[in-house]
Amino acid sequence: MDIPSAHDIGWELYRSYLAVLREGSLSAAARALGLTQPTLGRHIAALEEALGLVLFTRSQQGLLPTEAALALQPHAEAMAHAAAALARAAHAQGEGVRGTVRVSASHVVGTEVLPPLLARLQAEHPALTVELALSDRLHDLLQREADIAIRMAAPRQEALVARRVGAVGLGLHAHPDYLRRHGMPQSLADLQQGHRLIGFDAETPFIRAARQHFPAWQRERFSLRSDSDLAQLACIRAGAGIGICQTGLALRPPALVRVLPDAFAWSLDTWVVMHEDLRHSPRCRATFDALVAGLQRYLADGAGVPV
C-alpha cells in the first residue's frame, strides 16, 4: 500500500481509525466495517505513518487510544457526519421525495410521539427512508449529525431554519392504582409524607432550570431515580410513584391522573429545526413540514398548553 501524505489521506483510513476507537480492537472493528483484520491493520499503520503519530497502544484490554488519537476524534467524527450527509444527499437524487432523511429527537419524543407521524409520512412518500437518531443531547445540525431535529429550546445558530410548533405541557402524574394505595396528595407538603417520588439521578442544566419552577424537586427526595425519561415514564405507568411527564402522554392508556395541577404546571417550547442548506431538498422539506403538522396535531389533542 502506498503511504499517503498527511494532506492526501483517504476517508477510508479515518473510518478505520474511528472503528478501532469505538470497538477497541482490530478484530471487532473489522467485523463492524465488513473488512478483514489485516486490512484494518494496514489502514491504521498507513494513517499513523502519514500523520507521523502513534494512535493506539496494545494492552491486555485491547487497543488503547493515545492522546493524539483522542485529539483527532472530534475532527474525524465531523468527517464521518459529512460523509453520511453526502451519502444521504446522493441517495436522494431523482424525481420526487426520495432518499434518506435523518431525524433527531429525545428518547421520549422519538418513542412516544414521532412513530405515527413518521408512519404517515412514509405512507405518503414510499421512496423516503427515515433514520431516527434518539438522544437526550442536542445533535449538531451544523456538523450534519442529523438533517432535522425536534428540540425543546429555541435554536441559537443563525444557519438553521426553525419553526416553533407550540408548547408541550408538563405535570405531575400518577397511576390510579398508586393513588388508591397512597391517596391523592393535597399539597406539596403531602408529597413528602407517605408518597414515593420518581425523578432524576444526575443533575443537568435542564433539571436546574426546571427546579426554578418546582424547588421541591430534589434528588434526595426520590425513592426511584433514573436519568432516562423513558424509564421514569414507564415507572409512573407501572404505579411505582408520582413523577413528571407530558400531559399528552398521560392521556394515553394506561391513563394517568394529574396530581397538584395548581402547584406544578410547566411547559417546554417545541421546535422543528434543520440546516438552511436543506430548505430546497424535497426529502427534507417534506419531512420538516410533516413533523410540524404532526406535532401541532399532537399538541392540539391535549399535549399542548393553551395560548
Side-chain angles (χ1 to χ4, degrees), residues 33-71:
L33 295 180
L35 301 174
T36 65
Q37 184 172 334
T39 298
L40 252 293
R42 288 193 294 271
H43 283 182
I44 298 302
L47 183 59
E48 289 181 325
E49 185 165 346
L51 295 174
L53 298 171
V54 175
L55 298 176
F56 298 97
T57 58
R58 295 188 180 277
S59 73
Q60 292 182 344
Q61 291 75 37
L63 292 180
L64 296 180
T66 64
E67 288 188 15
L70 295 176

Side-chain angles (χ1 to χ4, degrees), residues 97-121:
V97 177
R98 54 179 292 117
T100 302
V101 61
R102 186 171 180 84
V103 177
S104 165
S106 69
H107 286 97
V108 166
V109 171
T111 302
E112 294 281 339
V113 181
L114 293 189
L117 278 61
L118 297 177
R120 177 181 297 189
L121 170 67

Side-chain angles (χ1 to χ4, degrees), residues 69-82:
L70 295 176
L72 295 177
Q73 183 177 2
H75 305 289
E77 288 181 340
M79 293 174 65
H81 297 316

